[in-house]
Amino acid sequence: MEKEITTRSPEETEQVAAELAAALRGGAVIALYGDLGAGKTCFIRGLARGLGVTRIVHSPTFTLINEYAGRLTLFHMDLYRIRDADEALDFGLDDYIFGDGLCAIEWAEKVETLLPPHTIRVTLKMFGDENTRQVEIADSGFSP
Ligand SMILES: Nc1ncnc2c1ncn2[C@@H]1O[C@H](COP(=O)(O)OP(=O)(O)O)[C@@H](O)[C@H]1O
Ligand SMILES: [Mg+2]
């Protein structure tokens, strides 16, 4: 299933993500694609809200991974600084993606070969004015 939504503010992008999160089960993996500033972290903020996470979500650019307690445990990864899938395996990425939380991965293209069949792919694109984004959600049809 593939969905395309246009959002006109960060709040709208968060809302789309929060609604998606509410429907997810443990073991879900969300791979995020899009340029710097496209809204990947913003989308993950919405996922957190949808899971009832109360802490503020910051990008884990230096730590690689942040963990948040919610209806499902949210693992927020930002792989901008890693080189390839081998480096991701070194820090145990597979333990997280085959765990029973919700994994949300920024710069997921770096670990494409490690992503399970039930991965939900979210692509964010800037277009039009500075507050407009196209959010494309591709659901594999598999479940975790
Ligand atoms: N419709 C929108 N959806 C998401 N972010 C938006 C939107 N419009 C403007 N923005 C802004 O774009 C930036 C997105 O940043 P961020 O989520 O950190 O991007 P990324 O993680 O992809 O680098 C934020 O400053 C946010 O306020
Ligand atoms: Mg980010």
Side-chain angles (χ1 to χ4, degrees):
M1 191 188 70
E2 201 161 313
K3 254 199 309 200
E4 254 181 48
I5 303 143
T6 300
T7 65
R8 303 191 188 283
S9 67
E11 293 72 25
E12 272 185 45
T13 297
E14 278 192 33
Q15 185 56 31
V16 169
E19 284 167 21
L20 173 65
L24 295 175
R25 286 192 272 171
V29 176
I30 299 194
L32 291 121
Y33 306 89
D35 295 338
L36 213 59
K40 301 180 294 300
T41 302
C42 175
F43 192 93
I44 294 172
R45 241 172 234 134
L47 292 175
R49 185 151 59 76
L51 294 175
V53 170
T54 50
R55 271 172 62 209
I56 297 171
V57 172
H58 291 293
S59 201
T61 299
F62 296 98
T63 50
L64 287 181
I65 177 157
N66 282 342
E67 185 176 334
Y68 300 92
R71 181 179 66 81
L72 302 171
T73 303
L74 172 65
F75 297 102
H76 176 188
M77 296 168 213
D78 185 327
L79 305 182
Y80 185 67
R81 274 158 208 285
I82 72 154
R83 204 176 42 235
D84 55 20
D86 280 344
E87 211 175 301
L89 287 172
D90 286 344
F91 82 81
L93 180 85
D94 49 339
D95 292 339
Y96 296 107
I97 59 182
F98 293 105
D100 57 8
L102 165 58
C103 273
I105 310 171
E106 298 192 43
W107 300 99
E109 53 267 54
K110 300 209 180 176
V111 294
E112 201 58 47
T113 53
L114 301 177
L115 298 175
H118 59 265
T119 300
I120 298 168
R121 291 181 166 78
V122 175
T123 307
L124 292 130
K125 286 180 192 145
M126 310 191 208
F127 77 101
D129 74 86
E130 61 176 326
N131 293 319
T132 306
R133 301 288 187 275
Q134 180 181 301
V135 184
E136 197 185 287
I137 302 175
D139 180 333
S140 63
F142 293 98
S143 45

